[in-house]
Amino acid sequence: FTRPQTASRLPLLTAFSLCAGFSAGMLRATLAEDIPPHEISRWAEDVREVALLGKVIDAPEQRRDYWRVPIAALALQREDSVALAMRGLVLAHGKGLQSLTIGDEVILRGRLALADDAGNPGAFDYRSYLRANGICALFYCSDSTPVSIRPTTTHLLLPRLSARVRAWVEKQIAAFANGQARALINGLLLGQTEE
């Protein structure tokens, strides 16, 4: 009686399958973390203060004690280096950002950071959420440094009109309701979920 050859190959095929799966996973992880050379998130772990030149792409949004606004990065400069051309969106946080309008070019001083990722399995991954919305880093403005603004020369009629209408609606809601009623109306009409 002869033993079938397929039984002797089973451990070899299992080992090969495990190695192939492991290699594919490592390749996927390596490619997923490959950051383009001029993307601003490459500088996000540097704790030194930097100057960021960027263009405002949406109206500032008020949070509890600060404002936040998405900015398309154009250049970045550290104190000890020349300005480097950059690309990528950052979500800037600061107290003096309410005067910005869509299309303005700004120079902000502050610190870049990456958003928190999921600490535990199944937890909310803020970094992935921002990445899915095109934002690759956070920028925390220095409170002591004023914002430099160069107003836009182009007329972005529709986005500016949309921002003005949104601000008007927010004022009308604030005059009409307060507390939980205002928070509910802001959430339903404007998509604000903070309150």
Side-chain angles (χ1 to χ4, degrees):
F1 182 78
T2 59
R3 202 166 125 191
Q5 288 188 346
T6 56
S8 65
R9 291 184 185 166
L10 188 60
L12 182 62
L13 288 174
T14 302
F16 178 74
S17 297
L18 287 174
C19 287
F22 180 75
S23 298
M26 292 298 291
L27 179 62
R28 183 177 186 273
T30 301
L31 292 176
E33 294 179 5
D34 189 27
I35 300 172
H38 293 293
E39 185 175 296
I40 197 158
S41 63
R42 279 190 174 270
W43 300 91
E45 294 303 316
D46 192 344
V47 296
R48 291 176 284 185
E49 189 173 271
V50 296
L52 170 71
L53 170 65
K55 191 170 208 171
V56 177
I57 63 164
D58 202 354
E61 179 183 11
Q62 186 173 11
R63 307 308 275 179
R64 284 193 170 90
D65 58 346
Y66 64 93
W67 292 80
R68 69 180 191 180
V69 60
I71 295 177
L74 301 173
L76 181 75
Q77 182 177 19
R78 295 183 304 178
E79 291 178 6
D80 60 346
S81 69
V82 296
L84 302 170
M86 289 287 146
R87 65 175 175 234
L89 294 179
V90 298
L91 189 59
H93 296 75
K95 294 188 177 181
L97 303 178
Q98 66 272 17
S99 60
L100 299 179
T101 58
I102 298 169
D104 288 347
E105 285 189 6
V106 295
I107 299 173
L108 305 173
R109 293 198 63 79
R111 187 179 55 82
L112 278 167
L114 292 176
D116 294 333
D117 56 358
N120 296 316
F124 178 67
D125 190 345
Y126 188 44
R127 188 180 302 176
S128 295
Y129 169 77
L130 289 178
R131 276 273 182 197
N133 288 292
I135 297 171
C136 57
L138 302 174
F139 189 84
Y140 295 100
C141 298
S142 302
D143 292 338
S144 59
T145 308
V147 177
S148 299
I149 303 173
R150 187 168 75 190
T152 181
T153 56
T154 60
H155 299 286
L156 302 171
L157 186 61
L158 190 59
R160 284 180 179 242
L161 179 63
S162 173
R164 286 184 183 150
V165 168
R166 182 183 179 96
W168 181 83
V169 169
E170 283 182 34
K171 286 180 185 175
Q172 298 308 311
I173 292 171
F176 171 72
N178 57 20
Q180 287 185 333
R182 188 182 84 205
L184 178 64
I185 295 170
N186 281 339
L188 291 173
L189 292 179
L190 304 174
Q192 294 179 356
T193 58
E194 183 186 62
E195 298 177 8

